Amino acid sequence: DNTDKQVVYYLEERGRKGVALSQYLWDNVRIAELLEEKTGKISGKMMMEAAQVMDKYRAQIAQSPRGVEAMAKVYFWAANQKEDTFYRIRLELPQRNLEVNLQRKLTLLKQLESDYGRIAALGSGDWGLAAMYKTAAAYRQMSQEVQQAPVPAELSAEQIDMYRQELKRQMVQPFNEKALSMAAQCMD
């Protein structure tokens, strides 16, 4: 099969003596993508290996456009792993679960913003735009989830109104503003 031949080719390429680190990283990412085409799932093993190489030799790899492109792909893959977790966490009762999950989502949101910011800072146009878009989407999602989260059962009708107004002021509006700001940056 053609995909198998391509995988073998890239395995051989990255195994050549004296191969540039940026090329090695590129080949690893390409193998992971080919395996995804074949199996429907990207090779986490190949991407983890690429991430380890990238972490160790980041400065050298960043010297070439191909290296920057490969780094962006690896960072994007890693951020998507966190993003999957972020989207799976639900803001639901009982109250203790809601509070714990809200904190988990807020922590992940900050990490995602940082991770996607790192991608944008690499200078790869398409990946930078995608990172900004993904950040905006995460903030928008957080805004919607906070707005739709259940309220504590023990609150009176008047307290519920106050609770929702405070949530809107402290979380919903700032998250929406952040999402709109990031989306506007994508348009610039």
Side-chain angles (χ1 to χ4, degrees), residues 19-28 53 57 60-68 70:
V19 69
L21 289 167
S22 59
Q23 185 64 47
Y24 182 90
L25 184 65
W26 179 267
D27 292 343
N28 250 45
V53 169
Y57 301 104
Q60 290 169 272
I61 294 168
Q63 306 258 329
S64 80
R66 181 169 268 193
V68 169

Side-chain angles (χ1 to χ4, degrees), residues 89-91 96-105:
I89 297 171
R90 297 283 169 237
L91 300 181
R96 180 71 184 132
N97 287 357
L98 190 142
E99 292 168 6
V100 167
N101 286 347
L102 178 61
Q103 287 308 310
R104 286 179 61 209
K105 281 186 88 78

Side-chain angles (χ1 to χ4, degrees), residues 29 38 40 43 50 58 74 99 103 107 113 116 188:
V29 170
K38 185 173 182 164
S43 172
R58 185 182 195 292
V74 174
E99 292 168 6
Q103 287 308 310
T107 298
E113 182 176 11
Y116 285 128
D188 288 342

Side-chain angles (χ1 to χ4, degrees), residues 1-19:
D1 153 88
N2 193 36
T3 302
D4 290 336
K5 288 177 186 174
Q6 287 180 311
V7 168
V8 169
Y9 168 79
Y10 284 108
L11 283 168
E12 289 172 355
E13 277 296 300
R14 75 176 196 156
R16 279 186 304 117
K17 188 172 182 146
V19 69

Side-chain angles (χ1 to χ4, degrees), residues 66-123:
R66 181 169 268 193
V68 169
E69 180 83 6
M71 287 172 61
K73 287 181 178 188
V74 174
Y75 280 142
F76 212 82
W77 171 81
N80 277 332
Q81 305 307 301
K82 267 185 209 164
E83 190 178 271
D84 288 347
T85 301
F86 172 81
Y87 284 112
R88 277 195 307 270
I89 297 171
R90 297 283 169 237
L91 300 181
E92 55 195 13
L93 295 173
Q95 186 66 28
R96 180 71 184 132
N97 287 357
L98 190 142
E99 292 168 6
V100 167
N101 286 347
L102 178 61
Q103 287 308 310
R104 286 179 61 209
K105 281 186 88 78
L106 288 170
T107 298
L108 281 168
L109 184 62
K110 288 294 178 201
Q111 290 173 358
L112 286 170
E113 182 176 11
S114 173
D115 292 352
Y116 285 128
R118 180 177 10 180
I119 294 165
L122 288 173

Side-chain angles (χ1 to χ4, degrees), residues 47-63:
M47 293 303 274
M48 290 297 292
E49 183 181 324
Q52 290 170 344
V53 169
M54 189 179 72
D55 288 343
K56 190 170 182 178
Y57 301 104
R58 185 182 195 292
Q60 290 169 272
I61 294 168
Q63 306 258 329

Side-chain angles (χ1 to χ4, degrees), residues 84-173:
D84 288 347
T85 301
F86 172 81
Y87 284 112
R88 277 195 307 270
I89 297 171
R90 297 283 169 237
L91 300 181
E92 55 195 13
L93 295 173
Q95 186 66 28
R96 180 71 184 132
N97 287 357
L98 190 142
E99 292 168 6
V100 167
N101 286 347
L102 178 61
Q103 287 308 310
R104 286 179 61 209
K105 281 186 88 78
L106 288 170
T107 298
L108 281 168
L109 184 62
K110 288 294 178 201
Q111 290 173 358
L112 286 170
E113 182 176 11
S114 173
D115 292 352
Y116 285 128
R118 180 177 10 180
I119 294 165
L122 288 173
S124 175
D126 290 343
W127 290 104
L129 279 174
M132 290 167 51
Y133 173 81
K134 292 283 233 165
T135 304
Y139 270 97
R140 180 71 179 133
Q141 178 70 24
M142 189 68 180
S143 167
Q144 291 173 338
E145 287 188 36
V146 166
Q147 199 165 11
Q148 296 168 0
V151 297
E154 65 274 3
L155 297 182
S156 68
E158 184 179 318
Q159 289 172 321
I160 289 173
D161 284 342
M162 289 173 40
Y163 178 84
R164 290 214 182 270
Q165 287 173 6
E166 197 59 24
L167 273 180
K168 187 173 183 179
R169 186 182 68 76
Q170 286 186 15
M171 298 181 108
V172 174
Q173 285 176 332

